[in-house]
Amino acid sequence: MEAYEWGHVLHRVLEHLQSDHDLEYVREHLLKMALASVGLTSQEARVFAWEKLGAEIVTYMNSDLHKECCQGKRIYSEMPFAVRLFEDVQERGTLSLNGVIDKVWLRADGKATVVDFKTHKYKSATQVKRIVEKYTPQLQLYAYAVEKLLHWRVDRAGLYMTATGSYMEVPCDLQARENLWKKMQILWTKADSRSEEKEKRLFS
């Protein structure tokens, strides 16, 4: 398979993993389901996929992040969403945000954590920094969507890097999100007014 297909399979397994799933269930059911989503159904495919992805799956299963997720009062996996950000700005229509959040859960303290899985294979600290910077706005907007739709206060958001089993938090405080919001408003008001499209989409 192509690299993006392996990433898709790994995403599917981690997103559906629950606290009562052991390794046998993961191999025989979750991995089977994930491979079927890319058209692979043979036993040979499952054996090969486990040899390639098993270590990363086990690392996540043993991680503090997964343990915290399993203790969540409410948990959503692959949560699709669509929210409106700006409306009727200089008659440019509506700016909408839509996507799918890998994991979000409500903790015992009443606040929420948002996590996005990344299957990038990076080799240096510089690459890691670029990945975090690239996806920080996305995670901040995910936090906004969760608060808007589920009415949960999100105070933690981050990227779980499957290649190294590391979790990297991004700034998710209200000030950081307010700064992003201001930048987006500036870009939106400068959008091409000649566009016939009445609805713009971000992170679709």
Side-chain angles (χ1 to χ4, degrees):
M1 294 191 296
E2 299 290 339
Y4 76 90
E5 292 177 305
W6 282 116
H8 170 79
V9 169
L10 186 55
H11 264 86
R12 296 278 290 180
V13 172
L14 299 188
E15 288 163 358
H16 287 85
L17 188 64
Q18 298 180 19
S19 59
D20 58 345
H21 292 165
D22 56 20
L23 285 179
E24 181 179 359
Y25 184 88
V26 172
R27 286 195 302 263
E28 299 302 320
H29 296 280
L30 294 188
L31 187 58
K32 180 179 179 180
M33 172 272 299
L35 287 169
S37 69
V38 294
L40 296 176
T41 58
S42 69
Q43 178 65 27
E44 291 79 7
R46 290 201 297 277
V47 171
F48 183 77
W50 185 257
E51 291 176 353
K52 185 173 180 64
L53 304 176
E56 294 181 29
I57 294 171
V58 171
T59 297
Y60 175 70
M61 292 177 71
N62 293 328
S63 69
D64 292 337
L65 187 68
H66 177 57
K67 293 173 183 177
E68 178 192 311
C69 175
C70 292
Q71 294 173 357
K73 296 172 62 177
R74 293 181 64 185
I75 305 168
Y76 287 96
S77 299
E78 286 192 295
M79 174 185 155
F81 68 90
V83 293
R84 292 183 177 181
L85 300 180
F86 307 128
E87 295 186 64
D88 300 323
V89 179
Q90 297 182 3
E91 299 181 353
R92 299 184 198 279
T94 300
L95 177 64
S96 295
L97 171 69
N98 61 88
V100 178
I101 300 173
D102 288 346
K103 285 276 189 183
V104 55
W105 60 87
L106 183 66
R107 306 192 307 269
D109 63 4
K111 297 180 181 178
T113 300
V114 173
V115 171
D116 197 49
F117 296 116
K118 296 302 178 189
T119 57
H120 296 74
K121 305 292 184 181
Y122 53 82
K123 300 179 180 179
S124 68
T126 300
Q127 287 179 309
V128 174
K129 182 179 179 181
R130 288 174 180 171
I131 291 173
V132 173
E133 290 176 348
K134 176 180 179 180
Y135 290 104
T136 290
Q138 178 180 337
L139 267 295
Q140 291 172 341
L141 289 170
Y142 281 4
Y144 169 81
V146 169
E147 293 185 348
K148 190 78 170 178
L149 299 175
L150 299 180
H151 307 293
W152 296 351
R153 170 73 178 93
V154 179
D155 68 342
R156 289 184 63 203
L159 305 172
Y160 179 82
M161 303 296 193
T162 62
T164 59
S166 57
Y167 173 66
M168 302 176 186
E169 289 197 354
V170 304
C172 192
D173 57 277
L174 294 178
Q175 184 61 54
R177 281 188 272 167
E178 182 178 345
N179 292 339
L180 173 64
W181 200 262
K182 290 178 180 178
K183 292 178 182 178
M184 290 175 58
Q185 284 181 316
I186 292 173
L187 291 173
W188 181 239
T189 54
K190 291 182 178 179
D192 186 357
S193 61
R194 295 172 297 176
S195 174
E196 297 180 357
E197 189 179 10
K198 289 298 182 180
E199 185 169 327
K200 310 293 183 184
R201 296 192 179 276
L202 187 64
F203 295 122
S204 58

